[in-house]
Amino acid sequence: MRYKLTLAYRGTNYFGWQRQMAVPGFRGQMPAEGEGLPTIQEVTSRAFGHVLGHPVEIVGASRTDARVHAKGQVAHLDTHRREIPIEGLMAAVNHRLPSDVLVRRIQRVDDDFHAIRSTTSKRYQYFIWNSLQRPLFFYDLAWHRWQLLDIAAMRQAAALLVGEHDFASFARAGHGRRTTVRTLLDCSVSRRGGCVVVGVEGTGFLWNMVRIIVGTLVLVGRGRRTPAEVGQMLAAADRRVAGPTAPPHGLFLQWVKSRDIDPGETP
Amino acid sequence: MRYKLTLAYRGTNYFGWQRQMAVPGFRGQMPAEGEGLPTIQEVTSRAFGHVLGHPVEIVGASRTDARVHAKGQVAHLDTHRREIPIEGLMAAVNHRLPSDVLVRRIQRVDDDFHAIRSTTSKRYQYFIWNSLQRPLFFYDLAWHRWQLLDIAAMRQAAALLVGEHDFASFARAGHGRRTTVRTLLDCSVSRRGGCVVVGVEGTGFLWNMVRIIVGTLVLVGRGRRTPAEVGQMLAAADRRVAGPTAPPHGLFLQWVKSRDIDPGETP
């Protein structure tokens, strides 16, 4: 029996979703950040394993990096246990999980469902704390940029990224993917309180793609690059021409949409 | 030269404002929570000492306990340095402070100003996460009570506490104070998003007084006690009759009002 999980977590004290990036062909250095910390996959698998009474291997839709957070990660697991009511399972697992990881939903799905292969689109949010003083209660949840950002210019640049493009300029070297062509469905920039929030929605992403997009949009917001130059960066298909990679701690996996295969037992 | 400081901090990783509670006559156990952690006073004194170039002893208005937060702690320090511009001092100190402590304001004050003795009133806020699922991004900033709280009943009980009363029922044993009579100027209960926020304002507080008030109001909110019973608890002047002490991590020192002695150089 396969279950679909919706998970939320604060990534601050984790190595990321999983220890091995499992990027075929990548021989480079693994990210040093978060070395020695547990992974979200480990603590979640352990909690479900304890409650279900057998080892559990949880597969996640997005391999979020160290320090990256999630409001709606999607994952799946298999169990032969049939008698456990979903509400009770969720309460028991949440009771065992550390306070910075939470299961928000458990749904019975068909065996054809797969957290990675059934994903049709994902949305990430990036929070920029745009104020003179650094964030205090949100210091690990937003990137501090004190320079007042020009939202209108950032929006112009963001609009150029929407659609199907070769995002080679916006991918970390060693991504190991056959093609760097991806489709962005949305790239929005808005103010929310003292924050500037960048929302990026797409059918698939390259390694560090959202963080490089944000690093580049911030250059535009500071007037260091024009929106037109972002168009040229995209056309160049060369990582060296785009902006810096924004730090991980402002990034949230907001949601994952998937072809849900509902066996009619979803709560 | 004396400076008045306004400080904010996330108390999660601190022993509290200071290591010794310095309660005259108290021979009981010191709180075990946060043992081995630094104090806010230590890290703040060290940062100012480094920037000013001489040892600094910072005096705080409220001795917040381990895990308790502050949005507006008030403190003072003395220095013989005259040439440092306040904006530069603040930027340099904030640069040196850890990410969970922030100086919000520095003001030149007369030598008569004293963080404790000049205080006329203080306000605390207590955040209760009142939702079935526990908080995730705010797990160390709010107390989770999943039972839907009856705000109207809590408000009735809170109103009985406002005014001058003997708060002996709402003080932790070993407070070592001559009198347990205190004056509450306000005790409000409101919903804010998924939270219930209790605001308590007074001219002075006993040890754990706000947390015992909150623990008692939550009993009322759950229907376990009536507002009238809270009036009886107050009259009994006996700690054993009041509710439990709410945990420290939901508590914020919101602001401190003081008789400001302005030498005309305040920025």
Side-chain angles (χ1 to χ4, degrees):
Chain A
M1 287 215 293
R2 185 156 284 190
Y3 287 95
K4 175 184 171 183
L5 316 174
T6 307
L7 307 167
Y9 46 84
R10 183 178 193 137
T12 307
N13 298 315
Y14 293 90
F15 186 79
W17 173 259
Q18 63 186 53
R19 202 160 300 279
Q20 298 301 326
M21 297 303 285
V23 178
F26 177 52
R27 298 277 175 274
Q29 230 187 338
M30 283 294 149
E33 192 159 26
E35 207 77 63
L37 294 175
T39 67
I40 305 287
Q41 193 191 34
E42 278 162 15
V43 299
T44 314
S45 297
R46 204 180 305 136
F48 272 99
H50 183 96
V51 173
L52 291 168
H54 63 77
V56 161
E57 177 77 22
I58 295 180
V59 177
S62 170
R63 290 172 303 212
T64 54
D65 283 341
R67 318 269 180 233
V68 173
H69 320 285
K71 297 179 180 180
Q73 168 76 291
V74 162
H76 76 258
L77 64 79
D78 292 315
T79 179
H80 54 82
R81 296 283 299 272
R82 298 187 158 269
E83 70 279 20
I84 300 182
I86 280 180
E87 283 303 319
L89 174 61
M90 193 157 90
V93 168
N94 277 332
H95 187 73
R96 289 201 70 83
L97 281 170
S99 49
D100 45 11
V101 183
L102 193 60
V103 180
R104 290 224 181 273
R105 199 171 181 196
I106 303 179
Q107 292 160 278
R108 177 74 210 289
V109 286
D110 195 275
D111 287 352
D112 289 349
F113 177 85
H114 188 283
I116 297 170
R117 288 195 293 270
S118 301
T119 292
T120 54
S121 65
K122 287 183 274 196
R123 188 178 178 93
Y124 292 89
Q125 283 177 313
Y126 196 100
F127 286 80
I128 302 162
W129 185 269
N130 193 27
S131 171
L132 272 183
Q133 279 201 334
R134 57 179 162 79
L136 178 69
F137 296 107
F138 305 99
Y139 68 84
D140 57 342
L141 302 174
W143 183 29
H144 182 214
R145 297 284 84 188
W146 62 267
Q147 305 95 337
L148 186 67
L149 297 175
D150 179 347
I151 299 295
M154 290 172 76
R155 280 185 178 147
Q156 277 182 44
L160 299 176
L161 300 174
V162 175
E164 189 183 88
H165 302 285
D166 183 346
F167 282 96
S169 299
F170 298 87
R172 176 166 168 168
H175 50 76
R177 300 303 176 106
R178 254 183 311 120
T179 168
T180 46
V181 174
R182 292 292 183 275
T183 301
L184 276 203
L185 301 170
D186 186 36
C187 188
S188 67
V189 183
S190 56
R191 283 206 180 272
R192 196 185 298 182
C195 279
V196 171
V197 186
V198 179
V200 185
E201 188 180 332
T203 55
F205 292 89
L206 299 163
W207 197 12
N208 283 3
M209 183 167 147
V210 178
R211 290 165 54 191
I212 298 169
I213 288 175
V214 170
T216 305
L217 291 180
V218 164
L219 287 184
V220 173
R222 293 173 58 187
R224 304 268 297 271
R225 292 287 183 283
T226 63
E229 283 176 301
V230 173
Q232 292 160 16
M233 291 174 191
L234 195 62
D238 179 351
R239 173 65 189 94
R240 291 168 298 180
V241 304
T245 307
H249 65 277
L251 184 61
F252 289 72
L253 172 60
Q254 189 180 1
W255 50 248
V256 176
K257 273 191 194 154
S258 35
R259 286 183 296 274
D260 278 2
I261 293 143
D262 183 348
E265 292 181 36
T266 310
Chain B
M1 287 215 293
R2 186 157 283 190
Y3 288 94
K4 175 185 171 183
L5 316 174
T6 307
L7 307 168
Y9 46 85
R10 184 178 193 136
T12 307
N13 298 317
Y14 293 90
F15 186 79
W17 173 258
Q18 63 186 52
R19 203 159 299 279
Q20 297 301 325
M21 297 302 285
V23 177
F26 177 52
R27 297 280 176 274
Q29 229 187 338
M30 284 294 149
E33 191 157 26
E35 207 76 62
L37 294 175
T39 67
I40 305 288
Q41 194 191 32
E42 279 162 14
V43 299
T44 315
S45 297
R46 205 180 305 135
F48 272 99
H50 183 94
V51 173
L52 292 169
H54 63 78
V56 161
E57 178 76 22
I58 295 179
V59 177
S62 170
R63 289 171 304 212
T64 53
D65 283 340
R67 318 267 181 232
V68 173
H69 320 286
K71 297 178 179 179
Q73 167 78 290
V74 161
H76 76 257
L77 64 79
D78 293 316
T79 180
H80 54 82
R81 295 284 299 272
R82 297 184 159 270
E83 70 279 19
I84 300 182
I86 281 180
E87 283 304 319
L89 174 63
M90 191 157 91
V93 169
N94 276 333
H95 187 73
R96 289 202 70 82
L97 281 169
S99 50
D100 46 10
V101 182
L102 193 61
V103 180
R104 290 223 182 273
R105 198 171 181 196
I106 302 178
Q107 293 161 277
R108 178 74 210 287
V109 286
D110 195 274
D111 286 352
D112 289 349
F113 177 84
H114 187 283
I116 298 171
R117 289 195 292 271
S118 301
T119 293
T120 54
S121 65
K122 287 182 273 195
R123 189 179 178 90
Y124 292 89
Q125 283 177 313
Y126 196 101
F127 285 81
I128 302 161
W129 185 268
N130 193 27
S131 172
L132 272 183
Q133 280 199 335
R134 57 177 162 79
L136 177 68
F137 296 107
F138 305 100
Y139 68 86
D140 57 341
L141 302 174
W143 184 29
H144 182 214
R145 297 284 84 188
W146 61 267
Q147 305 95 339
L148 187 68
L149 297 175
D150 179 346
I151 297 295
M154 290 172 77
R155 280 185 178 148
Q156 278 182 44
L160 299 176
L161 300 174
V162 175
E164 188 183 86
H165 302 285
D166 183 344
F167 282 96
S169 298
F170 297 88
R172 176 168 169 168
H175 51 76
R177 302 303 177 105
R178 256 182 311 120
T179 169
T180 46
V181 174
R182 292 293 183 274
T183 302
L184 275 202
L185 302 171
D186 186 35
C187 187
S188 68
V189 182
S190 57
R191 282 205 180 272
R192 196 183 300 180
C195 278
V196 171
V197 186
V198 179
V200 184
E201 188 179 334
T203 55
F205 292 89
L206 299 163
W207 198 13
N208 281 5
M209 183 167 148
V210 178
R211 289 165 54 190
I212 299 169
I213 288 175
V214 170
T216 305
L217 291 180
V218 164
L219 288 184
V220 174
R222 292 173 58 187
R224 304 268 297 270
R225 292 287 183 283
T226 63
E229 283 177 301
V230 173
Q232 293 160 16
M233 290 175 191
L234 195 62
D238 179 351
R239 173 66 188 93
R240 291 168 297 180
V241 304
T245 306
H249 66 277
L251 185 60
F252 289 71
L253 172 60
Q254 189 180 0
W255 50 247
V256 177
K257 272 190 194 155
S258 35
R259 286 183 295 275
D260 278 4
I261 294 144
D262 182 348
E265 293 182 35
T266 310

